[in-house]
Structure formats: C-alpha cells, structure tokens
Amino acid sequence: MEHKEKIQDLKESIQKLNQLSSEEKTNLLESIEMLWLNASVRKKKKDIVLPDDSNENILRIRQLLAAAWSEDLKE
C-alpha cells in the first residue's frame, strides 16, 4: 500500500509541476507582449512633433490614447 501512495504522490507532484509550468509560460508570454507594446508606445513618444494642422492633432490624440491604454494594461 505504501508503494502505491508514493506513486500517487509522485503523479500529483508531476501534475502540479506541469500546471505551474503552464502558468509560468502564460505569464512570460504576457510579459513579452507587454514589453513589445510598451516599446512601441515609447517609440511613438520619441517621434512626436508639435501638431500644425488637424491631421497632426488626430495623430497626437491617437498616440495619447495608445499610451494611456498601455498604462492601463500594466495594472
């Protein structure tokens, strides 16, 4: 009976490790995606030029919305 308990414990341990590994993979993928989004927003921030006409105003608003969206996703 003790042998079967050890096998069951080992089986549960492997299943838990597999679950933790899957969670870590998901977390890493989300972190990589957030870093990519953040880098994209930072690049846009560097390219900002003061707007002279309405098209540039619209672009500036879009950039600000993208930056705000990125900040919301960090929380």
Side-chain angles (χ1 to χ4, degrees):
M1 197 74 141
E2 190 175 304
H3 183 68
K4 288 183 180 182
E5 289 175 7
K6 287 182 180 181
I7 291 175
Q8 185 62 31
D9 287 345
L10 183 60
K11 184 178 178 181
E12 289 173 3
S13 177
I14 291 170
Q15 288 172 340
K16 182 160 177 101
L17 182 62
N18 188 24
Q19 178 186 357
L20 291 173
S21 176
S22 294
E23 290 173 7
E24 184 66 21
K25 180 180 175 184
T26 300
N27 289 338
L28 284 171
L29 288 173
E30 289 174 0
S31 295
I32 290 168
E33 184 175 290
M34 290 308 300
L35 287 170
W36 179 79
L37 288 171
N38 191 30
S40 177
V41 170
R42 286 184 184 200
K43 181 180 177 196
K44 288 180 183 179
K45 285 182 184 178
K46 290 179 185 175
D47 297 340
I48 292 175
V49 177
L50 294 175
D52 292 333
D53 62 17
S54 62
N55 285 337
E56 290 183 10
N57 283 331
I58 292 170
L59 176 63
R60 176 72 175 132
I61 291 169
R62 286 180 178 163
Q63 289 171 333
L64 289 171
L65 287 171
W69 178 71
S70 176
E71 291 297 318
D72 285 346
L73 288 177
K74 288 181 184 177
E75 296 175 5

